[in-house]
PDB file of all heavy atoms in Angstrom:
ATOM      1  N   MET J  87     -32.289   0.893 -37.750  1.00 85.00           N
ATOM      2  CA  MET J  87     -31.282   0.572 -38.752  1.00 85.00           C
ATOM      3  C   MET J  87     -31.990   0.164 -40.039  1.00 85.00           C
ATOM      4  O   MET J  87     -32.903  -0.663 -40.002  1.00 85.00           O
ATOM      5  CB  MET J  87     -30.379  -0.569 -38.268  1.00 85.00           C
ATOM      6  CG  MET J  87     -29.259  -0.918 -39.259  1.00 85.00           C
ATOM      7  SD  MET J  87     -28.290  -2.352 -38.729  1.00 85.00           S
ATOM      8  CE  MET J  87     -27.575  -1.733 -37.215  1.00 85.00           C
ATOM      9  N   PRO J  88     -31.610   0.740 -41.186  1.00 82.00           N
ATOM     10  CA  PRO J  88     -32.252   0.357 -42.449  1.00 82.00           C
ATOM     11  C   PRO J  88     -32.153  -1.142 -42.702  1.00 82.00           C
ATOM     12  O   PRO J  88     -31.154  -1.786 -42.330  1.00 82.00           O
ATOM     13  CB  PRO J  88     -31.467   1.155 -43.496  1.00 82.00           C
ATOM     14  CG  PRO J  88     -30.894   2.319 -42.744  1.00 82.00           C
ATOM     15  CD  PRO J  88     -30.620   1.812 -41.365  1.00 82.00           C
ATOM     16  N   ALA J  89     -33.167  -1.680 -43.331  1.00 81.00           N
ATOM     17  CA  ALA J  89     -33.245  -3.137 -43.527  1.00 81.00           C
ATOM     18  C   ALA J  89     -32.073  -3.671 -44.341  1.00 81.00           C
ATOM     19  O   ALA J  89     -31.558  -4.763 -44.065  1.00 81.00           O
ATOM     20  CB  ALA J  89     -34.565  -3.488 -44.210  1.00 81.00           C
ATOM     21  N   GLU J  90     -31.612  -2.925 -45.333  1.00 81.00           N
ATOM     22  CA  GLU J  90     -30.547  -3.397 -46.224  1.00 81.00           C
ATOM     23  C   GLU J  90     -29.170  -2.859 -45.838  1.00 81.00           C
ATOM     24  O   GLU J  90     -28.232  -2.972 -46.608  1.00 81.00           O
ATOM     25  CB  GLU J  90     -30.869  -2.984 -47.671  1.00 81.00           C
ATOM     26  CG  GLU J  90     -32.177  -3.527 -48.204  1.00 81.00           C
ATOM     27  CD  GLU J  90     -32.199  -5.050 -48.219  1.00 81.00           C
ATOM     28  OE1 GLU J  90     -31.141  -5.653 -48.514  1.00 81.00           O
ATOM     29  OE2 GLU J  90     -33.260  -5.629 -47.923  1.00 81.00           O
ATOM     30  N   ALA J  91     -29.055  -2.258 -44.663  1.00 82.00           N
ATOM     31  CA  ALA J  91     -27.773  -1.691 -44.238  1.00 82.00           C
ATOM     32  C   ALA J  91     -26.800  -2.789 -43.822  1.00 82.00           C
ATOM     33  O   ALA J  91     -27.215  -3.889 -43.420  1.00 82.00           O
ATOM     34  CB  ALA J  91     -27.981  -0.718 -43.086  1.00 82.00           C
ATOM     35  N   ASP J  92     -25.513  -2.488 -43.917  1.00 85.00           N
ATOM     36  CA  ASP J  92     -24.472  -3.385 -43.417  1.00 85.00           C
ATOM     37  C   ASP J  92     -24.345  -3.133 -41.917  1.00 85.00           C
ATOM     38  O   ASP J  92     -23.790  -2.118 -41.485  1.00 85.00           O
ATOM     39  CB  ASP J  92     -23.154  -3.094 -44.130  1.00 85.00           C
ATOM     40  CG  ASP J  92     -22.061  -4.101 -43.787  1.00 85.00           C
ATOM     41  OD1 ASP J  92     -21.922  -4.433 -42.599  1.00 85.00           O
ATOM     42  OD2 ASP J  92     -21.359  -4.549 -44.707  1.00 85.00           O
ATOM     43  N   GLY J  93     -24.874  -4.045 -41.113  1.00 81.00           N
ATOM     44  CA  GLY J  93     -25.010  -3.821 -39.678  1.00 81.00           C
ATOM     45  C   GLY J  93     -23.715  -3.491 -38.971  1.00 81.00           C
ATOM     46  O   GLY J  93     -23.639  -2.533 -38.201  1.00 81.00           O
ATOM     47  N   TRP J 148     -21.720   4.692 -46.797  1.00 89.00           N
ATOM     48  CA  TRP J 148     -21.809   3.470 -47.594  1.00 89.00           C
ATOM     49  C   TRP J 148     -22.690   2.425 -46.915  1.00 89.00           C
ATOM     50  O   TRP J 148     -23.494   1.756 -47.571  1.00 89.00           O
ATOM     51  CB  TRP J 148     -20.396   2.913 -47.806  1.00 89.00           C
ATOM     52  CG  TRP J 148     -20.389   1.644 -48.601  1.00 89.00           C
ATOM     53  CD1 TRP J 148     -20.423   1.509 -49.957  1.00 89.00           C
ATOM     54  CD2 TRP J 148     -20.375   0.314 -48.078  1.00 89.00           C
ATOM     55  NE1 TRP J 148     -20.420   0.188 -50.314  1.00 89.00           N
ATOM     56  CE2 TRP J 148     -20.395  -0.577 -49.174  1.00 89.00           C
ATOM     57  CE3 TRP J 148     -20.343  -0.216 -46.776  1.00 89.00           C
ATOM     58  CZ2 TRP J 148     -20.380  -1.943 -49.014  1.00 89.00           C
ATOM     59  CZ3 TRP J 148     -20.331  -1.584 -46.628  1.00 89.00           C
ATOM     60  CH2 TRP J 148     -20.348  -2.432 -47.737  1.00 89.00           C
ATOM     61  N   ALA J 149     -22.552   2.272 -45.605  1.00 91.00           N
ATOM     62  CA  ALA J 149     -23.286   1.230 -44.885  1.00 91.00           C
ATOM     63  C   ALA J 149     -24.781   1.490 -44.850  1.00 91.00           C
ATOM     64  O   ALA J 149     -25.569   0.550 -44.697  1.00 91.00           O
ATOM     65  CB  ALA J 149     -22.756   1.116 -43.456  1.00 91.00           C
ATOM     66  N   SER J 150     -25.204   2.757 -44.990  1.00 88.00           N
ATOM     67  CA  SER J 150     -26.632   3.076 -44.924  1.00 88.00           C
ATOM     68  C   SER J 150     -27.407   2.540 -46.115  1.00 88.00           C
ATOM     69  O   SER J 150     -28.640   2.419 -46.052  1.00 88.00           O
ATOM     70  CB  SER J 150     -26.817   4.596 -44.835  1.00 88.00           C
ATOM     71  OG  SER J 150     -26.219   5.114 -43.666  1.00 88.00           O
ATOM     72  N   ASN J 151     -26.698   2.225 -47.231  1.00 86.00           N
ATOM     73  CA  ASN J 151     -27.349   1.705 -48.437  1.00 86.00           C
ATOM     74  C   ASN J 151     -28.459   2.649 -48.910  1.00 86.00           C
ATOM     75  O   ASN J 151     -29.579   2.226 -49.209  1.00 86.00           O
ATOM     76  CB  ASN J 151     -27.910   0.304 -48.185  1.00 86.00           C
ATOM     77  CG  ASN J 151     -28.265  -0.406 -49.490  1.00 86.00           C
ATOM     78  OD1 ASN J 151     -27.647  -0.142 -50.525  1.00 86.00           O
ATOM     79  ND2 ASN J 151     -29.264  -1.279 -49.446  1.00 86.00           N
TER      80      ASN J 151
END
Side-chain angles (χ1 to χ4, degrees):
M87 182 185 297
E90 301 299 323
D92 187 316
W148 179 83
S150 298
N151 195 29

